[in-house]
Amino acid sequence: MYTFSSKLKTVAIFFMILGILGIGYGFLTAPKNTAEVEEILKKEAEEHGGHHTAAGHDAHAHPVKEAHTTETHDNHDAVAATEAKPEASMADSVHIDTISTTEDTAHAAISAEESHKNHAAVAAHEEHEAHAAHTKHVEHVLHQLQNKPWAAVYVAALFFMFISLGVLAFYAIQQVAQAGWSPVLFRVMQGITAYLPWGSVFVFILLALGAFHFHHLFVWMDPELLDPASPKFDKLVSNKSGYLNEYFWLLRAAIFIIGWNLYRHFSRKNCLAQDEATDNSFYKKNFKLSAAFLVFFIVTESIMSWDWIMSVDPHWYSTLFGWYVLMSFLVSGVTVIALTTLYLKSKGYLEYVNKSHIHDLAKFMFGFSIFWTYLWFSQFMLIWYANIPEEVTYFITRIEQYNLPFFGMLVLNFVFPILILINTDFKRLTWIIVMAGVVILAGHYVDFYVMIMPATVGDRWFIGFAEIGSVLFFLGLFILVVFTALTKSPLLAKRNPFIEESKHFHY
Amino acid sequence: MSNKVIYAIYNDDDVLMDAVKQTRAAHHHIEEIFTPFPVHGLDKAMGIAPTRLAICAFIYGVCGLAFATWMMNNIMIADWPQDIGGKPSFSYIENMPAFVPVMFEMTVFFAAHLMVLTFYMRSRLWPFKSAENPDVRTTDDHFLMEVAVHGDENEMISFFQNTGAVEVKVIEKH
């Protein structure tokens, strides 16, 4: 039996307290009204200095921004996509920063058209319009800044829940595949999935808060977008309202979460019952349960990724998005299994885990990292290549406003693992696995960050107190829940039919 | 000096493994072992150094990647940077996503084929090569261990008979 070391418990609680302070700071410093945003904008303009005075900046920015806000009805990502760019792309026609100039060209064309349209409007009632545009811009920034702490919590809550979900899926696969190497790790995996009920409750609460308009991470929830009489009416969103409406959306979320948690509950129960059994009936039950779960999981995972992640950009859609999200958290899950196993092994709790088990986990980390990259690239390259405006805005915002995290995560999630974990001897070294594991986890946090943030906070992102605080809070909770769960049952399944093979597994 | 070798023939891989361990313990030099199929752990028991083929493959892969990069850059960017369907051809990085499939395939192609050629060369395999089979049964169901004879020949023969060999022969090699 494992005993939770008091040191680790203290660290976990310390992380949670620190996290709550960070999250609280994030919420307290978010601007409450437009006046505060005016202050912030003024300060920024002064800091940028030189040719920009506050007033000059505003006047300069208006025409284009006005066009955007009316055209896109507060759609954050579309605004964000174009907002930052036009002045720049008009002024310096060669923009070296990004991969593609075609994007810029397309962009410039759009903004030219827009500003052309705009000239008439400006000529008609210049002053009045300018003022309205400025108010709109301030409001837009206010929404982004108010979203920021919410988005920070949401990303971290999703990330940690996904880790335990990824472990659950991996565990089910191992059961169904009748893997001979992994049964000695089943209790570790069950310990990690103990976070799933906690994590899914947090995520569900965050989703419900969105549905009840406490936060505005999901733009499609704005009822005005569906009202044809409203100036904010959005035909694209209203056409999707049969699927994207709060009640159906929450109902789906509840079904997914309940389904996953039921599997976790009964799988663990059967596994413990198998320890005391005289035949293999509980093992067989678990086998069937896991097979059924995997079917349920792949359907719900796909829908979940549209609902919880893709729908922050309701104008955008991608077919392989579900797979992409799945690989991101499956590799994180396997990495966490490896790290937890190494920790427990180093404390002397896992007698039968040897270097070959670690080697196998490291191979999964390596292979899944490459598969993640394959899906990332497939999604990116297809959209980049065809360059259809309605799809490509997704990547334009990311390349222009999130350049470092967007491409940096490729280094963390692909280049680093492929170079480090390709070596067979390295895959058996604890410190290499720990180092690669930490890098992979950081990389996949950034991955989820880049999925959520551009649509919710746009170019107002930075990794500050709220982001670090949320990660620390959920990390602390994760450690606390997982290691408490590990103390509840023996770390070695007794009567699993494959346990002998697994104990002597040797590669 | 005589070039005598002992052919100890076994009909079970477990017996063979034990025999190899005993032979190594007795400090007889194993020249070669012929088996009809891969025997897991035989190389370790014989003390053969691990293969470096994987390292070769990695280097070949890097060569393939470099070649693909050079080729695509030379053709698409340096030599004749046409505008093809609006794809940016100003620099390699701008159009890189379009080159990645080629870069990937070239890497795999070089790694795979050059590694196989390396394997053939290092293990001296080619068409029309005359087979070096000391006993035809070793391709079917017998295992043969070839050990150089040093010192007392009769003592060695009895040693190998005790290791469970079904047949022990002494052969004069040219």
Side-chain angles (χ1 to χ4, degrees), chain A residues 345 353-360 427-430 505:
Chain A
K345 177 81 186 157
V353 173
N354 56 38
K355 285 226 164 23
S356 294
H357 293 103
I358 304 300
H359 188 166
D360 263 25
K427 280 189 283 239
R428 304 173 86 89
L429 293 177
T430 305
F505 174 68

Side-chain angles (χ1 to χ4, degrees), chain A residues 99 101-102 377 380-381 384-385, chain B residues 86-88 90 94-95 97 100-101:
Chain A
I99 285 191
T101 43
T102 42
F377 182 71
F380 174 73
M381 197 261 244
W384 171 87
Y385 212 110
Chain B
K87 285 281 157 262
F90 305 106
E94 274 178 308
N95 206 5
V100 165

Side-chain angles (χ1 to χ4, degrees), chain A residues 435-449:
Chain A
M435 182 176 63
V438 169
V439 169
I440 288 174
L441 287 178
H444 285 282
Y445 171 76
V446 176
D447 186 15
F448 282 106
Y449 187 85

